[in-house]
Amino acid sequence: MTGDAATQEAQDAAAPGRVVAVRGPVLDIAFQPPLPEVNEAILVSGDGLTVAAEVQGHLDERTVRAIALQPTQGLWRGAVANRTGQPVMAPVGNGVLGRLVNMMGDAADDGPPFPPDIPRRAIHHAAPAMSEQSGSSALFETGIKVIDLLAPLAQGGKAAMFGGAGVGKTVLVMELIHAMVAGYDGISVFAGVGERCREGHEMLNEMRATGVLDQTVLVYGQMNEPPGTRWRVPLTAMTIAEYFRDEQARNVLLLMDNVFRFVQAGAEVSGLLGRKPSRVGYQPTLETEVADLQERIASLGAASVTAIEAVYVPADDFTDPAVGAISSHVDSMVVLSRQLASEGIYPAIDPIATTSVLLDPLVVGPEHAEVAGRVREVIEHYIELKDVIALLGVEELGREERLSVGRARRLQRFLTQPFFVAAAFSGQQGRSVALKDTIAGCREILNGGCDDWDEGDLYMIGTLEEAREKHAARAKTGSTGGVERREGAVS
């Protein structure tokens, strides 16, 4: 190529483009070749308005189609579009600790804007190679009995909380934040995907009150923002987490609420770009988009990124393609049950459907694995007998089965506990229970040590010692705990 041709190409590459069509958040922009690359950020401006967009495809030799990352009200055909030559860049490093940022990396709290020299990283980044990753079976104790027993979490692993609307996903994630962040030696990054502004405000104030905000970064894309923004929020949060893992060799706890809204935003973007929908109306790139995000969550050397994700299950349908795509990437799968929530069992975690690849004698130890297996077996047998009990009454069962049903009901109640984040609503102080106490309590119930205790003594407590004290007090007063006994007689 001659010098004049090279100079002309450089001038064309630097020349601004012009918006030729605006269809909601979808912008068609004409440029001189060479065109901006896919995923490159474009700044469209005019009359004091600046809108960031991300290139999603090349329509022809001179036109790109981009998705807006900010509201497009006020944009017009002919508006000037400037290339940036790079993807969206997120601020990283110690400067973002204790701050709430939006998807574009701008400060969204009441603090000062970030300085111009703050380090930044591209939000699009390939997952680390398999040969670079390191595995870990070190357990994360959460203090939540049913999770520690039946779905243990691993440092450097991925855990997801699946549930329909109103069964307690966000409360459970908030409790995990409370339980783990305060005693966690590392950085915490929270991604609020399609969150309500109220939830973000509450979380910011709570973290300030508990004194853990200085080691936390909050990244929010609210539900009233364009789909492109909600679609890219997890990538911004992931980029911040990766920096602390790679550059500072620090462990990172990544919390996401709600990953389904990430998929939902991707489906909106796909429809806006004119792609044909796939199963149940989802985008044809569903599996790829989920994998691109989830595979970036990994451990490198001595540092790890541990992910805890809330996942909305539409219409309580666990066969939904989005739920299946997300569940195939997680190590621990916590399933919330609407039936248990309606019975007042909180956290409403289904002990049968909840699983973890770590629940192995070689990882958690033989005692833990054996007790967890027996707990599942006893509760599952009780569920099988529920229809018989409802029709004929518990008295029609044999003696061994009546004992088994009683123990299953006591186990269900023992695995409930009051949460710290719900204390204002429940009126009960939260409890955190060590794993060894959970195992010891379940073993005693399974072995018949609590057969003559009232079920109410085991409801919403911490360790079994609390129930023992309640049982002793009840024995002195002669109280029978009638509500629990009547419930037991009919169910």
Side-chain angles (χ1 to χ4, degrees):
M1 179 182 294
T2 65
D4 290 343
T7 303
Q8 184 61 44
E9 183 170 334
Q11 290 175 349
D12 290 343
R18 293 282 178 178
V19 174
V20 296
V22 182
R23 290 185 296 278
V26 177
L27 307 176
D28 290 349
I29 307 170
F31 285 99
Q32 292 291 333
L35 297 181
E37 296 180 1
V38 172
N39 290 335
E40 183 177 325
I42 305 292
L43 295 178
V44 183
S45 57
D47 290 348
L49 176 72
T50 300
V51 174
E54 186 180 80
V55 175
Q56 292 298 314
H58 294 178
L59 298 183
D60 55 41
E61 294 178 353
R62 291 180 176 272
T63 313
V64 300
R65 179 159 289 172
I67 193 80
L69 303 176
Q70 292 167 321
T72 56
Q73 286 89 342
L75 274 191
W76 66 94
R77 285 189 296 173
V80 176
N82 292 296
R83 310 168 192 240
T84 63
Q86 59 189 13
V88 175
M89 305 294 285
V92 295
N94 295 333
V96 298
L97 290 175
R99 302 299 301 272
L100 186 150
V101 303
N102 62 21
M103 176 258 143
M104 295 297 297
D106 300 321
D109 53 13
D110 51 6
F114 295 121
D117 60 347
I118 191 169
R120 290 180 177 265
R121 268 192 172 189
I123 65 169
H124 296 283
H125 195 273
M130 191 72 73
S131 57
E132 298 174 4
Q133 298 184 25
S134 58
S136 171
S137 59
L139 296 185
F140 243 111
E141 279 199 36
T142 66
I144 300 174
K145 291 180 286 190
V146 64
I147 290 180
D148 287 343
L149 180 70
L150 299 176
L153 312 183
Q155 186 166 308
K158 295 187 276 280
M161 319 291 167
F162 293 89
V167 295
K169 296 183 301 301
T170 299
V171 172
L172 188 56
V173 170
M174 292 282 286
E175 182 71 9
L176 283 165
I177 292 172
H178 183 279
M180 299 167 76
V181 171
Y184 178 68
D185 182 24
I187 301 294
S188 300
V189 179
F190 180 86
V193 187
E195 289 287 89
R196 303 163 185 87
C197 61
R198 169 186 57 80
E199 293 173 333
H201 187 69
E202 287 174 357
M203 179 168 287
L204 186 63
N205 288 339
E206 182 167 333
M207 287 194 164
R208 279 177 176 161
T210 54
V212 299
L213 187 61
D214 60 341
Q215 293 297 299
T216 304
V217 185
L218 304 175
V219 186
Y220 270 83
Q222 294 174 204
M223 57 170 45
N224 65 323
E225 295 190 76
T229 305
R230 290 178 273 121
W231 190 36
R232 294 312 193 197
V233 163
L235 303 189
T236 300
M238 191 67 233
T239 301
I240 295 170
E242 286 172 332
Y243 177 86
F244 287 111
R245 179 196 66 192
D246 300 341
E247 302 300 326
Q248 298 189 7
R250 300 191 67 177
N251 291 330
V252 182
L253 182 62
L254 176 65
L255 302 126
M256 287 194 277
D257 186 12
N258 186 307
V259 183
F260 177 79
R261 294 200 190 109
F262 160 71
V263 172
Q264 201 171 36
E268 288 182 55
V269 169
S270 181
L272 289 165
L273 294 174
R275 297 176 187 149
K276 290 183 179 179
S278 183
R279 285 189 304 157
V280 199
Y282 286 110
Q283 61 271 44
T285 53
L286 169 65
E287 298 280 354
T288 305
E289 289 173 13
V290 171
D292 284 345
L293 172 65
Q294 299 288 348
E295 292 305 304
R296 288 172 66 176
I297 302 168
S299 302
L300 296 182
S304 63
V305 175
T306 305
I308 296 175
E309 310 166 8
V311 183
Y312 168 68
V313 179
D316 292 342
D317 179 12
F318 283 86
T319 65
D320 188 86
V323 175
I326 296 166
S327 63
S328 64
H329 291 274
V330 300
D331 307 313
S332 301
M333 185 171 170
V334 178
V335 178
L336 289 104
S337 162
R338 190 172 303 281
Q339 175 66 31
L340 290 175
S342 68
E343 293 174 8
I345 303 295
Y346 289 104
I349 293 174
D350 186 336
I352 309 306
T354 295
T355 59
S356 173
V357 297
L358 300 169
L359 200 58
D360 184 295
L362 298 175
V363 178
V364 299
E367 183 188 21
H368 182 168
E370 183 230 344
V371 169
R374 287 180 63 194
V375 166
R376 269 212 185 95
E377 186 180 334
V378 169
I379 293 177
E380 191 167 18
H381 186 52
Y382 165 53
I383 292 170
E384 290 171 355
L385 292 172
K386 263 189 166 182
D387 288 343
V388 175
I389 296 169
L391 287 171
L392 304 176
V394 72
E395 296 80 8
E396 296 301 314
L397 300 177
R399 181 177 177 278
E400 290 299 319
E401 286 188 328
R402 282 204 304 274
L403 280 175
S404 177
V405 166
R407 289 170 189 172
R409 291 176 59 82
R410 287 170 175 81
L411 282 169
Q412 279 187 330
R413 281 145 185 77
F414 176 63
L415 291 176
T416 63
Q417 72 189 84
F419 280 174
F420 290 95
V421 298
F425 308 103
S426 67
Q428 287 183 280
Q429 182 60 31
R431 305 284 197 283
S432 179
V433 183
L435 175 60
K436 60 182 178 58
D437 294 330
T438 301
I439 293 172
C442 289
R443 183 178 286 283
E444 187 161 344
I445 294 170
L446 287 165
N447 291 340
C450 308
D451 284 354
D452 60 340
W453 295 13
D454 194 276
E455 291 175 7
D457 296 337
L458 295 151
Y459 182 67
M460 285 294 172
I461 60 166
T463 65
L464 199 65
E465 291 307 310
E466 280 189 58
R468 201 182 305 280
E469 292 169 8
K470 289 168 74 174
H471 173 67
R474 196 187 296 277
K476 282 182 183 178
T477 61
S479 173
T480 61
V483 172
E484 289 286 348
R485 290 191 179 280
R486 283 196 301 273
E487 186 188 350
V490 299
S491 63

